[in-house]
Amino acid sequence: MTATLARPAAHTRVLVDTAVPDDVAALRDLYQAVYGDCYPLRLGTDPVAMVTAMDDSTVDWRVARDTATGELVGSALLRIDMPLRIGKVEGIVVHPDHGGAGIAGLLLETLMDSAFGAEGRLDSVYATARCVSPAPQRLLLRHGFHPLGVLPGAVTLREVETLALLVRYRDGIPTRRRAPGTVPRELAPLLEAARSHGVDFDDLQVATELVAARTRTDTDLEVSHDAGLVLKRFARAASGTAPALPLHRPNTLLMTPDGRFEAYAVIDAVAGHGLLLGGHPSPEDPEEALGDILREMADRGAAYIEAVLPLHDRNRIEQHLAHGFTPTALYPAMRLEDGIWHDYLLLGHTTARVDADALDVDERFAPYVQQHSHVRAPACPNPSDTVKRG
């Protein structure tokens, strides 16, 4: 995967430097000017969270200042997961009065130098872009990002919106990638879309039917949002291993009273978003209770629920498909294990559907939009049934 990188425009009136606590008020005004009252991220609306982030070594927050007036005219930040060597670009904004001057590109390339330059510590960086205009997608594409897919209903601003997902890699990555083996047939359109962007898959086979999905009818779940308890139990479950997913710490614990299993999730009720982080290994597989877990998360504000699974883990993927998840994006070479890069699959659970006519996307996302035309509405199986589709 290669890309032609845009050179940041020269600026004689803009200085890019690190955000400091004295910038908080101006930053809140900036995000308000761009998004109004519907910006879903705390790093742009919550002063305490913003100051905390500025003092966090895993956050690189840059701002653009007008050197003539001192006005803060742009902002962007990079969140860093060092154990997995992955970053995420968030919150790229430029004041409406300063659009078209290349400020967003300058901020983005400054962050990419931080990620991949001589002192860079990361192997890949991902980002999402709204699909109400191709401009934010094209900004990322010009600066070396590759399209990965589209995420229907992934965020709620003034209304439910679809996001585009993109990634940029350090030069030379990936090298060797694990062959996915046999994958469910529901993944075929997504993999074809990825192939159209130069992603190859060695020894790939497409299954003709799904395995039987395990479901339960008597799962009695207890749910805790106690931050101390959730993080303590999650750390114990991880047992010193690398994070299950980059850049996410759970804020919700779902468990059975008898200790059969426990599952961890992130729920952001403001953005209407949820993320499954997996469960603690136990004699009983948490995938059996996915239906109950999904209902508990939805009841707490997660209209969109995402899961990220290894592409080679056919069994877990099929369990999620049987419970109404649909494949939305692919992250090639997301994780390095034993010298081999592993591809990961993103799946979404939502009632939102992709309406191609309602999206405004760059043409390079067309194969990913088209693949959703093959996606059926999420299944709503009776939890008492054992599901098998052929």
Side-chain angles (χ1 to χ4, degrees):
M1 291 175 282
T2 60
T4 300
L5 304 188
R7 293 183 178 273
H11 292 272
T12 58
R13 293 189 57 192
V14 172
L15 171 69
V16 173
D17 64 2
T18 302
V20 296
D22 286 346
D23 293 324
V24 167
L27 281 166
R28 294 181 71 199
D29 289 343
L30 175 62
Y31 284 97
Q32 171 80 22
V34 174
Y35 286 98
D37 295 324
C38 63
Y39 189 62
L41 301 183
R42 295 177 66 200
L43 302 188
T45 57
D46 183 335
V48 175
M50 294 167 74
V51 171
T52 300
M54 292 171 186
D55 193 41
D56 188 338
S57 62
T58 66
V59 177
D60 186 356
W61 196 332
R62 304 299 177 103
V63 293
R65 309 180 196 278
D66 188 313
T67 55
T69 65
E71 180 187 6
L72 197 152
V73 297
S75 172
L77 61 95
L78 174 69
R79 293 200 296 125
I80 299 165
D81 188 316
M82 277 310 305
L84 291 182
R85 296 177 60 85
I86 290 176
K88 181 184 181 183
V89 174
E90 293 182 356
I92 303 177
V93 293
V94 174
H95 194 281
D97 293 342
H98 295 264
I103 296 173
L106 184 63
L107 285 163
L108 180 58
E109 204 57 37
T110 300
L111 292 178
M112 293 303 95
D113 286 343
S114 172
F116 302 129
E119 303 298 324
R121 301 165 287 174
L122 303 182
D123 293 324
S124 67
V125 173
Y126 71 98
T128 58
R130 298 172 70 192
C131 293
V132 296
S133 164
Q137 305 147 35
R138 289 172 179 165
L139 167 68
L140 293 161
L141 292 165
R142 286 196 302 271
H143 288 269
F145 283 74
H146 306 275
L148 298 180
V150 293
L151 314 178
V155 68
T156 302
L157 296 174
R158 290 186 177 86
E159 57 186 20
V160 176
E161 291 191 14
T162 293
L163 296 179
L165 184 67
L166 306 93
V167 67
R168 176 171 163 177
Y169 297 94
R170 177 187 293 277
D171 290 344
I173 294 174
T175 49
R176 291 192 305 154
R177 290 169 39 231
R178 174 171 176 165
T182 301
V183 300
R185 65 183 182 185
E186 278 81 353
L187 272 58
L190 174 63
L191 299 181
E192 284 303 312
R195 281 194 177 105
S196 73
H197 286 288
V199 182
D200 295 323
F201 301 95
D202 294 332
D203 302 322
L204 175 68
Q205 302 291 325
V206 177
T208 58
E209 63 178 20
L210 289 180
V211 299
R214 301 182 303 277
T215 61
R216 294 188 57 86
T217 59
D218 59 347
T219 307
D220 182 21
L221 294 179
E222 295 180 353
V223 182
S224 174
H225 300 289
D226 183 305
L229 173 65
V230 173
L231 293 176
K232 180 179 179 180
R233 297 282 287 267
F234 186 65
R236 186 180 68 183
S239 301
T241 61
L245 292 175
L247 303 168
H248 292 97
R249 302 174 71 193
N251 60 12
T252 305
L253 168 63
L254 306 101
M255 54 189 172
T256 53
D258 60 5
R260 288 198 308 266
F261 73 81
E262 53 193 40
Y264 297 90
V266 181
I267 297 177
D268 184 343
V270 175
H273 182 103
L275 175 65
L276 278 172
L277 295 180
H280 180 60
S282 65
E284 185 167 3
D285 193 335
E287 268 78 22
E288 294 190 17
L290 262 177
D292 295 289
I293 292 171
L294 295 173
R295 281 190 288 273
E296 293 287 354
M297 293 179 67
D299 287 346
R300 287 159 175 80
Y304 171 87
I305 300 173
E306 188 171 273
V308 185
L309 302 175
L311 183 60
H312 63 265
D313 195 340
R314 177 187 173 189
N315 181 65
R316 290 183 65 200
I317 291 171
E318 294 193 344
Q319 300 302 317
H320 283 68
L321 292 173
H323 283 86
F325 280 86
T326 57
T328 56
L330 189 72
Y331 197 138
M334 190 187 92
R335 186 166 182 155
L336 182 66
E337 296 179 13
D338 300 324
I340 299 177
W341 291 98
H342 293 248
D343 299 344
Y344 274 69
L345 173 72
L346 280 73
L347 301 109
H349 190 282
T350 177
T351 57
R353 308 258 50 90
V354 171
D355 180 358
D357 295 333
L359 302 183
D360 195 354
V361 297
D362 182 88
E363 61 274 7
R364 282 161 284 191
F365 281 95
Y368 292 108
V369 173
Q370 184 179 11
Q371 75 100 6
H372 282 279
S373 67
H374 302 279
V375 175
R376 295 186 293 271
C380 298
N382 185 329
S384 65
D385 295 337
T386 296
V387 180
K388 182 173 181 178
R389 290 177 284 168

